[in-house]
Amino acid sequence: MEAESPPKVQKPFKLCNHNREIRKGVVASSLEDLTSKVQEKLDVAVDNSFTVVLEADGTEIDDEEYFATLDPNTSLMILNGNQKWLPAYPTCNLSKDQVDAAKGDELAGLVGRLKTNLCHLSLLGGPELELLSDMDPDSLADLTYPDKIFLDQLKEASGRFLCEKRQAQDAMDLLRLYQEKEAAESEAN
């Protein structure tokens, strides 16, 4: 007579895609069970490779033993192909009567992303840098981010980056004009 293996415990999990736009709930008893449900719930093609990670910190879940230690309702992220885990951007609540709604939401999102990873400041374009350099740190500090020193430094740094970008653009425009003049002179000769 064969010994019956104990039934696998079904646990609920919260799934999301890499940018956290799609969220689904599933119940799974094993990592294999979870991966088959991921394909169904998040429309992942069977032949696509994907990785299951903890949404909170990006820890990869790649074996049944670790999967068995997960608590019920753990939030998991599904990464397809070369997608990488990134921390969630904090949500920000701005008072609509203090800041124009569209600009306020954009500014709050920018500050939230930069608070998470300040390296992104050097990658911003002119409009974003202008928005940051024109912000009022006092109004944001009261409503969204209690760290006024960070906001003051962010405003100052974005102003510097904006100035440097404008100087670089001016230099490129001057160089372009010089090249056009040289080309026109060589055609005339």
Side-chain angles (χ1 to χ4, degrees), residues 55-176:
E55 181 187 9
D57 66 4
T59 302
E60 184 175 352
I61 301 161
D62 61 355
D63 63 36
E64 292 291 341
E65 291 84 28
Y66 185 72
F67 179 84
T69 67
L70 297 178
D71 291 329
N73 294 310
T74 298
S75 292
L76 305 173
M77 180 180 284
I78 307 307
L79 303 173
N80 287 312
N82 294 331
Q83 293 173 340
K84 301 286 184 213
W85 176 87
L86 294 171
Y89 298 131
T91 56
C92 308
N93 299 317
L94 291 178
S95 169
K96 299 299 182 193
D97 34 343
Q98 286 199 342
V99 184
D100 172 62
K103 292 263 187 207
D105 290 344
E106 184 180 355
L107 180 59
L110 269 173
V111 172
R113 288 196 315 266
L114 293 170
K115 185 92 172 162
T116 303
N117 188 348
L118 195 55
C119 295
H120 292 156
L121 181 63
S122 63
L123 303 175
L124 295 178
E128 293 92 357
L129 289 170
E130 195 166 318
L131 186 63
L132 289 169
S133 66
D134 290 343
M135 76 174 161
D136 178 14
D138 291 326
S139 65
L140 279 177
D142 294 341
L143 298 171
T144 56
Y145 299 100
D147 189 356
K148 185 179 176 311
I149 294 170
F150 171 78
L151 293 171
D152 286 334
Q153 291 174 344
L154 181 60
K155 177 179 176 143
E156 191 269 329
S158 59
R160 271 197 329 260
F161 274 118
L162 181 61
C163 183
E164 290 171 6
K165 278 191 181 267
R166 286 180 178 161
Q167 287 175 345
Q169 186 60 49
D170 289 346
M172 295 297 290
D173 290 342
L174 187 60
L175 183 59
R176 182 184 47 78

